[in-house]
Structures are given as structure tokens and as C-alpha cells.
Amino acid sequence: MVSPFSRKGMLKERVMDLVTQTTVLPLLFGCLGIFSLFRLLQRIRSKAYLRNAVVVITGATSGLGKECARVFHAAGAKLVLCGRNVKALEELTRELAGCSSSQGQTHQPFMVTFDLTDPGTIATAAAEILQCFGHVDVLINNAGVSYRGTISDTIVDVDRKVMEINYFGPVALTKALLPSMVERKQGHIVAISSIQGKISIPFRSAYAASKHATQAFFDCLRAEMEEANIKVTVISPGYIHTNLSVNAVTADGSRYGALDKNTAQGRSAAEVARDVFDAVEKKKKDVLLVDFLPAMAVYIRTLAPGLFFRIMASRARKERKSKSS
């Protein structure tokens, strides 16, 4: 004989099953459908964001800048390629002009030649950039130089040169183009920084200092430009397999001229360029493109600075010993 309590429990279970079948599951599937539709619309909107957008890329003649030019061009962006080397810019412009894309229509790139280390050329270059398409949607501050040397041996002129190229140049160009973006209440400024803009490693003082300054400036810019609808993205990659270390300056200002081990083992510029495109497309604010250990180092520097300092001191001893042996 079934007790009244058992019958009551069975009835309750049936009611719950009925509610689940008729209410919860359809509601769950409905929510999943709405979420999927929302994500699809987001992807479509993101892709449309850069199609026909005017994108300015500095340091476009080699390495990451060149690969970014290829990726953004294939996506249908209207490019303004900037650099010091006229011949290299012309070659890249011809290459891109001859490329078709499965993603849709592509556009003939423009080129503007100037030197970021010469403050007198920046205002003129900015005016020339604006004349290409009438406005700028996305500015990618990519041009930069690396450095290798000890602080005690490095002349101050080298610190100034690295800071001029990596910090003052991008800042000056950004300020020159910013008013036109504010006037339109539309624009996106991208700074290609480095993991060394978040943590400092031995024998990279001038480079790390310039990237720390870059991170700080563009973080401030992001906050100040929120009301003007200007987006700011700071991208901090780790080692990239480019000629950055080959062209690095040393303590006395001479060229380093070697592809060091970490750089040689870095990610390909084409792969990082695709990540840059994704970050810009999704309007991300701060992006760290590094493996697990460098990412952990950022957190260790914040949460356990004493441990981080010991690790860096040990790294300095090992590197100094390997150079002397």
C-alpha cells in the first residue's frame, strides 16, 4: 500500500517533470538561440567595422607592420602605409595593389613617407595622411626600435633615440590626427607596445622604459577619449620572429646586427598580425599576446614583487655570465 506521503512525493515529481519539459528546456534552448544570434550579429558587425575603413599603419615596410598591411588590405580596409624607406613602401604598395581577396573588394593603398624621429615632419605627414581619404578611422602606431645593452655603458643619446622613436613619435602623430577624430566623434587608435611595457627585463632598459611610457600614455588617452567615442587599444606581444633585434641599437648607438635566440624562437609576424586584426576588429582595450610564463610574470610583478625582482636578478647574472664565457 502506497502511503499518502509517497503519493504526494510522486505527484510533486511529476509536476516538476512537466514544468521542466514545458518551461525550462524550451526557455533554455530559446536563450541559447538568442545568444547564438547575438554572437552572429556581433561577428557580422565586427567584419563590417574594418571593411572600407581608413587604416593608417606606421612602420609598414617590414616585420609586423608589413604583415598587418597584408591582413587589413585583404579585409577590405583603405590603407595609408607609412615609413622611412620609399622603395620598400613602393614595393609593398605594388604587391597589395596586385592582390585580390576572397573577402570582397580591396583598395589601392596610399603611402606617406616620413621619419618619426623628426618632430618637424609629423604635422606635415599628418596633413598628407588626411588628404589621402579625407579622414582616418584607425591609426596603428607600429613603428619602433629595440635596444640591447647595459645601463652603465649606454650613452644618454641612445635612451633619447629609443624614446623618440617608440614614444614621442607615436604620441606626436596621435596628437596630430586626434582632432579630426574628435570632430567626427569616431576613431580608433592602436598602440603596438610589448610585454616589456608591463614588466622590465635586464639589458633592455631603454626599450622597456619607452614601452612603459607608451602603455601609460595610451591608457590615459583611452579614459579621456571615452566621451568622444574614440577607441584605444594597446597590444603587448612577446617575442616576434622579425628583424627587430637585428636592427636594435646598442649602448654606443651602433646596430646590434644579430638575430638573438628568443627572437628567432618567437611567433611569426603573420600570426601576430592576425591577432592584431582580431583585437582591432573586436575593439579590445588591452591585449597581451604572450605565452603562459610571460603572462604569469605580469601577475607575479604585481602580487609578489620581491620574487619577481629575484628572478630578474638571476636572469641578469646568467645572461652576463653567458656573454663573458
Side-chain angles (χ1 to χ4, degrees):
M1 180 178 179
V2 181
S3 69
F5 294 105
S6 297
R7 284 198 295 270
K8 187 176 180 181
M10 291 169 63
L11 180 61
K12 187 175 181 181
E13 286 180 9
R14 289 175 183 172
V15 170
M16 289 300 295
D17 288 342
L18 183 63
V19 170
T20 300
Q21 292 171 6
T22 59
T23 307
V24 177
L25 288 179
L27 182 63
L28 177 61
F29 285 119
C31 289
L32 287 173
I34 292 172
F35 178 75
S36 299
L37 179 61
F38 175 72
R39 294 290 294 177
L40 177 62
L41 291 174
Q42 269 193 327
R43 283 197 294 270
I44 295 171
R45 187 178 178 183
S46 294
K47 290 186 181 301
Y49 171 59
L50 289 171
R51 191 178 300 121
N52 298 318
V54 178
V55 179
V56 178
I57 304 175
T58 66
T61 56
S62 63
L64 180 59
K66 190 173 185 177
E67 293 300 333
C68 282
R70 288 169 173 158
V71 172
F72 281 85
H73 177 263
K78 299 175 180 178
L79 297 184
V80 182
L81 307 175
C82 303
R84 293 179 299 175
N85 189 325
V86 179
K87 184 178 179 182
L89 280 178
E90 289 175 343
E91 288 176 355
L92 178 58
T93 301
R94 283 195 297 270
E95 175 199 321
L96 296 179
C99 292
S100 59
S101 173
S102 59
Q103 299 179 46
Q105 180 187 5
T106 58
H107 304 275
Q108 170 73 32
F110 281 78
M111 49 178 277
V112 177
T113 308
F114 68 102
D115 188 348
L116 274 174
T117 63
D118 184 356
T121 67
I122 301 236
T124 304
E128 192 176 342
I129 287 169
L130 288 170
Q131 286 174 0
C132 293
F133 294 102
H135 68 277
V136 171
D137 293 304
V138 182
L139 167 62
I140 301 180
N141 290 296
N142 166 74
V145 66
S146 193
Y147 154 88
R148 302 288 187 278
T150 63
I151 292 173
S152 56
D153 293 334
T154 301
I155 59 175
V156 176
D157 285 347
V158 168
D159 294 284
R160 287 198 176 100
K161 179 179 180 178
V162 174
M163 191 65 75
E164 194 69 54
I165 297 172
N166 291 355
Y167 175 72
F168 285 112
V171 166
L173 183 60
T174 296
K175 287 188 174 185
L177 293 174
L178 193 60
S180 65
M181 291 184 175
V182 172
E183 185 179 352
R184 296 175 66 232
K185 287 197 175 297
Q186 182 179 334
H188 193 158
I189 295 167
V190 182
I192 305 297
S193 182
S194 166
I195 179 64
Q196 293 181 55
K198 296 181 179 293
I199 57 171
S200 300
I201 64 175
F203 311 113
R204 305 289 191 276
S205 59
Y207 182 74
S210 68
K211 293 303 185 179
H212 271 68
T214 295
Q215 180 80 49
F217 176 86
F218 286 98
D219 280 353
C220 291
L221 182 66
R222 184 187 300 110
E224 293 182 22
M225 289 295 108
E226 180 75 21
E227 288 186 353
N229 195 38
I230 309 299
K231 310 301 179 187
V232 176
T233 300
V234 178
I235 300 175
S236 302
Y239 290 106
I240 309 173
H241 192 159
T242 66
N243 286 329
L244 190 67
S245 70
V246 176
N247 297 322
V249 294
T250 61
D252 61 1
S254 61
R255 187 167 173 263
Y256 185 63
L259 183 66
D260 55 30
K261 181 180 178 182
N262 287 328
T263 304
Q265 294 175 347
R267 298 173 67 199
S268 72
E271 184 182 358
V272 176
R274 288 191 292 271
D275 287 337
V276 170
F277 180 87
D278 181 70
V280 175
E281 187 181 52
K282 295 178 179 177
K283 302 178 185 178
K284 295 181 180 179
K285 292 179 171 62
D286 195 75
V287 182
L288 195 59
L289 299 178
V290 296
D291 295 330
F292 176 75
L293 287 178
M296 282 301 298
V298 175
Y299 291 103
I300 293 171
R301 172 64 179 85
T302 303
L303 301 174
L307 173 60
F308 177 83
F309 298 148
R310 288 195 296 273
I311 293 171
M312 289 301 108
S314 174
R315 175 172 177 154
R317 286 192 297 271
K318 290 177 182 176
E319 193 166 335
R320 194 177 281 115
K321 184 178 179 180
S322 67
K323 288 179 179 179
S324 61
S325 61

